[in-house]
């Protein structure tokens, strides 16, 4: 493996273009970005040439605990003394224990878990189960939402990703996010499920009205539909509570989690669902299969993630760091009113709304020069998403804010 490090960066870029993605290589070359991820540790990523970035993208929460968190690495090493992938058909101690821990931190009667490898796969299972449970076809989701690129998840997401692959599964309807009236009009006796990201990142860290999810709950109860929260990005403490939906005081029927559950080290996802929805999978236990889903070594890693999350002070730390960002953003708003129009935030799920859709991509490119990895929202490029590792410390936040300050100043000059 050490031979990888002996390849010069130019050769890696060449091989990537030839064998992985010519389009991506061209895109980055045209944007003047030649970053190839090398060393990574804590909140930082380094280019193969040594240039350092603070990671405020975190792959949407994969690196909640930072890069190569030493406790996660140690948990994986311990797991590998005893476990491997395991066998998905058989009963399993790590899967049973991880499921019990996830149930314990979930609201209401969400007590059951199906494991997967990716977020998209876990969303697919949630939608399959909702259809099987209700014997209905209809799935309602948000316009511009994002749930992954697998079959049903893709059908629930934004048109731009699914159009070329049609026909997809029928029965999908989309409504503007946060609009209860539109949801009410779309719902019917054919609605199996309503699925929303708690805070849609790709839509620009869109924060819904405070009473939105209570209204969604009521409508789902009225029509007998399943309420599914996609917590792939907002879950596992990102919003300052275990689940983002906890911050709205609403209990859904299903929660989907992925990214951060991996500890940034071992891919794993989970669909958590209410006891009341269990009859179908009880009667058909082999109808959904994922060979690598809930791999036993991955379960051990995820158990360590939950140990860290549940430690006294962890959620308080997230909330305290969120307050520091809030203060810093208020200063930036005052200082750069011509380019920065709004700071969106729930805990450390954050986004800066800029005055023009060109500004998000500009800021992303500028970040590579200035030392910050922050990516604009694909479905609203006027928003720069800011998702730092949850373990970020006060001094590091000041660094992020100073870099943002400089970048916003550059933006003002570039477009003045
Ligand atoms: C909100 C949300 N849901 C689902 C997914 C899909 O997860 P995965 O890429 O692991 O399939 C993502 C991925 O970015 C996501 O952000």
């Amino acid at each position: 493996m050490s031979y990888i490090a002996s390849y010069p960066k130019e050769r890696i870029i060449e091989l990537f273009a030839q064998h992985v993605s010519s389009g991506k290589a061209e895109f980055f070359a045209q944007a003047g970005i030649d970053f190839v991820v090398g060393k990574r540790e804590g909140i930082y990523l380094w280019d193969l040439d040594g240039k350092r970035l603070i990671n405020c993208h975190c792959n949407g929460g994969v690196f909640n605990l930072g890069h190569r968190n030493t406790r996660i690495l140690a948990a994986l090493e311990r797991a590998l003394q005893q476990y491997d992938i395991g066998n998905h058909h058989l009963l399993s101690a790590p899967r049973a224990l991880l499921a019990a821990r996830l149930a314990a931190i979930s609201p209401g009667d969400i007590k059951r878990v199906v494991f997967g490898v990716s977020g998209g796969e876990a969303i697919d299972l949630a939608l399959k189960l909702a259809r099987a449970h209700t014997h209905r076809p209809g799935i309602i989701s948000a316009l511009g939402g994002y749930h992954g690129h697998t079959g049903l998840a893709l059908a629930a997401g934004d048109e731009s990703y699914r159009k070329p692959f049609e026909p997809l599964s029928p029965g999908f309807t989309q409504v503007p996010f946060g609009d209860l009236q539109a949801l009410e009009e779309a719902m019917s006796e054919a609605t199996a499920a309503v699925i929303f990201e708690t805070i849609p990142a790709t839509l620009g860290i869109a924060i819904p009205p405070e009473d939105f999810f209570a209204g969604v709950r009521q409508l789902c109860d009225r029509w007998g539909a399943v309420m599914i929260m996609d917590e792939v990005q907002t879950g596992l403490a990102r919003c300052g509570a275990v689940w983002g939906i906890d911050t709205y005081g609403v209990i859904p029927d299903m929660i989907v989690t992925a990214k951060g559950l991996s500890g940034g080290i071992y891919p794993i996802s989970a669909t958590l669902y209410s006891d009341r929805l269990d009859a179908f999978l009880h009667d058909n236990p082999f109808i959904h299969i994922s060979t690598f889903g809930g791999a036993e070594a991955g379960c051990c890693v995820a158990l360590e993630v939950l140990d860290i999350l549940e430690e006294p002070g962890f959620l308080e730390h997230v909330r305290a760091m969120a307050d520091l960002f809030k203060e810093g953003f208020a200063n930036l708003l005052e200082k750069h009113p011509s380019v920065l129009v709004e700071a969106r935030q729930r805990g450390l799920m954050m986004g800066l709304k800029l005055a023009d859709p060109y500004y998000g991509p500009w800021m992303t490119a500028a970040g590579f020069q200035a030392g910050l990895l922050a990516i604009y929202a694909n479905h609203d490029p006027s928003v720069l998403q800011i998702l730092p590792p949850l373990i970020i410390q006060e001094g590091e936040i000041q660094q992020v804010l100073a870099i943002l300050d400089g970048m916003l100043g550059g933006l003002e000059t570039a477009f003045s």
Side-chain angles (χ1 to χ4, degrees), residues 33-361:
I33 298 165
D34 66 349
F35 194 90
V36 179
V37 187
K39 184 181 151 190
R40 64 228 57 191
E41 212 75 63
I43 68 162
Y44 298 108
L45 280 174
W46 282 262
D47 182 34
L48 284 182
D49 283 346
K51 185 175 174 54
R52 194 180 78 171
L53 300 184
I54 298 179
N55 193 349
C56 278
H57 175 241
C58 284
N59 304 15
V62 169
F63 300 111
N64 278 349
L65 302 179
H67 288 281
R68 299 172 45 74
N69 183 298
T70 50
R71 284 184 55 180
I72 299 295
L73 294 179
L76 181 60
E77 277 168 21
R78 281 196 306 275
L80 293 177
Q81 303 304 311
Q82 201 175 343
Y83 296 109
D84 51 18
I85 298 287
N87 184 311
H88 54 295
H89 290 301
L90 305 182
L91 308 194
S92 149
R95 276 204 291 281
L97 292 177
L98 177 59
R101 289 283 299 279
L102 286 166
I105 56 169
S106 296
D109 64 353
I110 294 182
K111 297 287 171 233
R112 303 206 163 260
V113 181
V114 175
F115 290 110
V117 179
S118 71
E121 178 189 346
I123 296 285
D124 274 12
L125 185 270
L127 297 176
K128 279 164 64 172
L129 181 54
R131 279 180 166 173
H133 174 77
T134 58
H135 304 287
R136 300 171 180 180
I139 308 289
I140 303 177
S141 60
L143 280 165
Y146 186 90
H147 301 286
H149 290 256
T150 49
L152 300 180
L154 183 65
D158 188 63
E159 191 180 32
S160 55
Y161 291 123
R162 64 182 144 81
K163 201 78 189 141
F165 308 114
E166 288 178 348
L168 298 173
S169 169
F172 283 77
T173 307
Q174 302 198 317
V175 296
F177 182 67
D179 184 340
L180 270 182
Q181 196 181 333
L183 180 62
E184 185 166 12
E185 282 161 18
M187 287 189 79
S188 72
E189 278 159 3
T191 306
V194 174
I195 179 167
F196 289 123
E197 297 155 82
T198 310
I199 295 167
T202 313
L203 195 51
I205 316 290
I207 311 280
E210 273 312 303
D211 61 352
F212 177 62
F213 289 117
V216 174
R217 178 72 274 175
Q218 275 177 6
L219 287 170
C220 285
D221 289 342
R222 187 194 303 166
W223 288 105
V226 177
M227 178 175 177
I228 305 171
M229 295 316 303
D230 179 339
E231 292 263 355
V232 169
Q233 294 213 25
T234 48
L236 302 173
R238 170 62 56 188
C239 297
V242 173
W243 305 113
I245 192 68
D246 294 342
T247 69
Y248 290 90
V250 171
I251 301 177
D253 301 306
M254 292 194 203
I255 291 175
V256 177
T257 182
K259 295 188 187 279
L261 197 59
S262 70
I265 291 291
Y266 203 111
I268 185 166
S269 64
T271 307
L272 320 180
Y273 65 94
S274 157
D275 247 344
R276 287 170 293 111
L277 305 181
D278 193 47
F280 178 79
L281 286 178
H282 175 84
D283 294 342
N284 302 278
F286 296 101
I287 204 162
H288 177 87
I289 285 174
S290 171
T291 302
F292 297 126
E296 292 187 341
C299 287
C300 297
V301 164
L303 280 164
E304 188 70 20
V305 169
L306 297 188
D307 281 349
I308 295 172
L309 177 86
E310 289 189 82
E311 251 158 31
F314 188 82
L315 291 173
E316 288 77 3
H317 170 78
V318 173
R319 293 195 284 261
M321 296 305 104
D323 285 346
L324 293 177
F325 269 109
K326 191 171 176 191
E327 256 173 57
F329 289 158
N331 291 335
L332 294 178
L333 279 160
E334 214 168 281
K335 199 164 165 194
H336 304 284
S338 67
V339 289
L340 178 60
V341 295
E342 188 191 345
R344 299 177 175 173
Q345 186 179 8
R346 199 141 187 121
L348 289 176
M349 185 83 189
M350 306 183 291
L352 295 179
K353 168 89 177 158
L354 304 160
D356 191 287
Y358 284 113
Y359 292 176

